[in-house]
mmCIF file with all atom_site columns, all heavy atoms in Angstrom:
data_model
loop_
_atom_site.group_PDB
_atom_site.id
_atom_site.type_symbol
_atom_site.label_atom_id
_atom_site.label_alt_id
_atom_site.label_comp_id
_atom_site.label_asym_id
_atom_site.label_entity_id
_atom_site.label_seq_id
_atom_site.pdbx_PDB_ins_code
_atom_site.Cartn_x
_atom_site.Cartn_y
_atom_site.Cartn_z
_atom_site.occupancy
_atom_site.B_iso_or_equiv
_atom_site.pdbx_formal_charge
_atom_site.auth_seq_id
_atom_site.auth_comp_id
_atom_site.auth_asym_id
_atom_site.auth_atom_id
_atom_site.pdbx_PDB_model_num
ATOM 1  N N   . GLU A 1 104 ? -13.484 9.265   -9.244 1.00 85.00 ? 104 GLU A N   1
ATOM 2  C CA  . GLU A 1 104 ? -14.552 8.639   -8.454 1.00 85.00 ? 104 GLU A CA  1
ATOM 3  C C   . GLU A 1 104 ? -15.406 9.684   -7.770 1.00 85.00 ? 104 GLU A C   1
ATOM 4  O O   . GLU A 1 104 ? -16.625 9.504   -7.581 1.00 85.00 ? 104 GLU A O   1
ATOM 5  C CB  . GLU A 1 104 ? -13.957 7.680   -7.430 1.00 85.00 ? 104 GLU A CB  1
ATOM 6  C CG  . GLU A 1 104 ? -13.324 6.438   -8.076 1.00 85.00 ? 104 GLU A CG  1
ATOM 7  C CD  . GLU A 1 104 ? -12.611 5.552   -7.072 1.00 85.00 ? 104 GLU A CD  1
ATOM 8  O OE1 . GLU A 1 104 ? -12.490 6.005   -5.901 1.00 85.00 ? 104 GLU A OE1 1
ATOM 9  O OE2 . GLU A 1 104 ? -12.215 4.421   -7.426 1.00 85.00 ? 104 GLU A OE2 1
ATOM 10 N N   . SER A 1 118 ? -10.717 23.295  -3.597 1.00 91.00 ? 118 SER A N   1
ATOM 11 C CA  . SER A 1 118 ? -11.543 22.386  -2.783 1.00 91.00 ? 118 SER A CA  1
ATOM 12 C C   . SER A 1 118 ? -11.152 20.917  -3.063 1.00 91.00 ? 118 SER A C   1
ATOM 13 O O   . SER A 1 118 ? -11.195 20.074  -2.159 1.00 91.00 ? 118 SER A O   1
ATOM 14 C CB  . SER A 1 118 ? -13.059 22.611  -3.039 1.00 91.00 ? 118 SER A CB  1
ATOM 15 O OG  . SER A 1 118 ? -13.365 22.276  -4.409 1.00 91.00 ? 118 SER A OG  1
ATOM 16 N N   . ASP A 1 183 ? 8.495   2.463   18.634 1.00 84.00 ? 183 ASP A N   1
ATOM 17 C CA  . ASP A 1 183 ? 7.308   1.817   18.053 1.00 84.00 ? 183 ASP A CA  1
ATOM 18 C C   . ASP A 1 183 ? 7.525   0.290   17.962 1.00 84.00 ? 183 ASP A C   1
ATOM 19 O O   . ASP A 1 183 ? 8.542   -0.145  17.376 1.00 84.00 ? 183 ASP A O   1
ATOM 20 C CB  . ASP A 1 183 ? 7.040   2.386   16.692 1.00 84.00 ? 183 ASP A CB  1
ATOM 21 C CG  . ASP A 1 183 ? 5.741   1.919   16.105 1.00 84.00 ? 183 ASP A CG  1
ATOM 22 O OD1 . ASP A 1 183 ? 5.665   0.724   15.767 1.00 84.00 ? 183 ASP A OD1 1
ATOM 23 O OD2 . ASP A 1 183 ? 4.821   2.727   15.945 1.00 84.00 ? 183 ASP A OD2 1
ATOM 24 N N   . THR A 1 252 ? 40.159  -17.744 8.831  1.00 86.00 ? 252 THR A N   1
ATOM 25 C CA  . THR A 1 252 ? 39.712  -16.929 7.695  1.00 86.00 ? 252 THR A CA  1
ATOM 26 C C   . THR A 1 252 ? 38.871  -15.755 8.183  1.00 86.00 ? 252 THR A C   1
ATOM 27 O O   . THR A 1 252 ? 37.889  -15.958 8.938  1.00 86.00 ? 252 THR A O   1
ATOM 28 C CB  . THR A 1 252 ? 38.896  -17.742 6.711  1.00 86.00 ? 252 THR A CB  1
ATOM 29 O OG1 . THR A 1 252 ? 39.680  -18.817 6.251  1.00 86.00 ? 252 THR A OG1 1
ATOM 30 C CG2 . THR A 1 252 ? 38.466  -16.874 5.500  1.00 86.00 ? 252 THR A CG2 1
ATOM 31 N N   . GLN A 1 282 ? 30.909  -17.099 4.887  1.00 90.00 ? 282 GLN A N   1
ATOM 32 C CA  . GLN A 1 282 ? 30.777  -18.389 4.253  1.00 90.00 ? 282 GLN A CA  1
ATOM 33 C C   . GLN A 1 282 ? 29.446  -18.514 3.478  1.00 90.00 ? 282 GLN A C   1
ATOM 34 O O   . GLN A 1 282 ? 29.421  -19.093 2.375  1.00 90.00 ? 282 GLN A O   1
ATOM 35 C CB  . GLN A 1 282 ? 30.892  -19.482 5.309  1.00 90.00 ? 282 GLN A CB  1
ATOM 36 C CG  . GLN A 1 282 ? 32.273  -19.598 5.943  1.00 90.00 ? 282 GLN A CG  1
ATOM 37 C CD  . GLN A 1 282 ? 32.284  -20.433 7.205  1.00 90.00 ? 282 GLN A CD  1
ATOM 38 O OE1 . GLN A 1 282 ? 31.280  -21.076 7.564  1.00 90.00 ? 282 GLN A OE1 1
ATOM 39 N NE2 . GLN A 1 282 ? 33.426  -20.467 7.898  1.00 90.00 ? 282 GLN A NE2 1
ATOM 40 N N   . GLU A 1 286 ? 28.673  -19.111 -0.564 1.00 86.00 ? 286 GLU A N   1
ATOM 41 C CA  . GLU A 1 286 ? 27.819  -20.211 -1.026 1.00 86.00 ? 286 GLU A CA  1
ATOM 42 C C   . GLU A 1 286 ? 26.744  -19.727 -1.994 1.00 86.00 ? 286 GLU A C   1
ATOM 43 O O   . GLU A 1 286 ? 26.398  -20.469 -2.947 1.00 86.00 ? 286 GLU A O   1
ATOM 44 C CB  . GLU A 1 286 ? 27.193  -20.919 0.172  1.00 86.00 ? 286 GLU A CB  1
ATOM 45 C CG  . GLU A 1 286 ? 26.499  -22.205 -0.163 1.00 86.00 ? 286 GLU A CG  1
ATOM 46 C CD  . GLU A 1 286 ? 26.047  -22.980 1.043  1.00 86.00 ? 286 GLU A CD  1
ATOM 47 O OE1 . GLU A 1 286 ? 26.503  -22.628 2.157  1.00 86.00 ? 286 GLU A OE1 1
ATOM 48 O OE2 . GLU A 1 286 ? 25.224  -23.873 0.916  1.00 86.00 ? 286 GLU A OE2 1
ATOM 49 N N   . LEU A 1 372 ? 20.028  8.887   19.966 1.00 75.00 ? 372 LEU A N   1
ATOM 50 C CA  . LEU A 1 372 ? 20.395  9.245   21.343 1.00 75.00 ? 372 LEU A CA  1
ATOM 51 C C   . LEU A 1 372 ? 19.099  9.470   22.167 1.00 75.00 ? 372 LEU A C   1
ATOM 52 O O   . LEU A 1 372 ? 19.032  9.064   23.322 1.00 75.00 ? 372 LEU A O   1
ATOM 53 C CB  . LEU A 1 372 ? 21.247  10.484  21.357 1.00 75.00 ? 372 LEU A CB  1
ATOM 54 C CG  . LEU A 1 372 ? 22.585  10.387  20.671 1.00 75.00 ? 372 LEU A CG  1
ATOM 55 C CD1 . LEU A 1 372 ? 23.344  11.717  20.771 1.00 75.00 ? 372 LEU A CD1 1
ATOM 56 C CD2 . LEU A 1 372 ? 23.419  9.264   21.225 1.00 75.00 ? 372 LEU A CD2 1
ATOM 57 N N   . ALA A 1 374 ? 16.263  7.953   21.610 1.00 73.00 ? 374 ALA A N   1
ATOM 58 C CA  . ALA A 1 374 ? 15.666  6.610   21.818 1.00 73.00 ? 374 ALA A CA  1
ATOM 59 C C   . ALA A 1 374 ? 16.452  5.866   22.902 1.00 73.00 ? 374 ALA A C   1
ATOM 60 O O   . ALA A 1 374 ? 15.810  5.192   23.756 1.00 73.00 ? 374 ALA A O   1
ATOM 61 C CB  . ALA A 1 374 ? 15.710  5.829   20.525 1.00 73.00 ? 374 ALA A CB  1
ATOM 62 N N   . GLY A 1 504 ? 30.716  -12.352 43.571 1.00 78.00 ? 504 GLY A N   1
ATOM 63 C CA  . GLY A 1 504 ? 30.514  -12.417 44.982 1.00 78.00 ? 504 GLY A CA  1
ATOM 64 C C   . GLY A 1 504 ? 30.970  -11.208 45.729 1.00 78.00 ? 504 GLY A C   1
ATOM 65 O O   . GLY A 1 504 ? 31.099  -11.204 46.981 1.00 78.00 ? 504 GLY A O   1
#
Side-chain angles (χ1 to χ4, degrees):
E104 292 176 350
S118 64
D183 188 292
T252 302
Q282 292 166 7
E286 190 172 345
L372 298 181

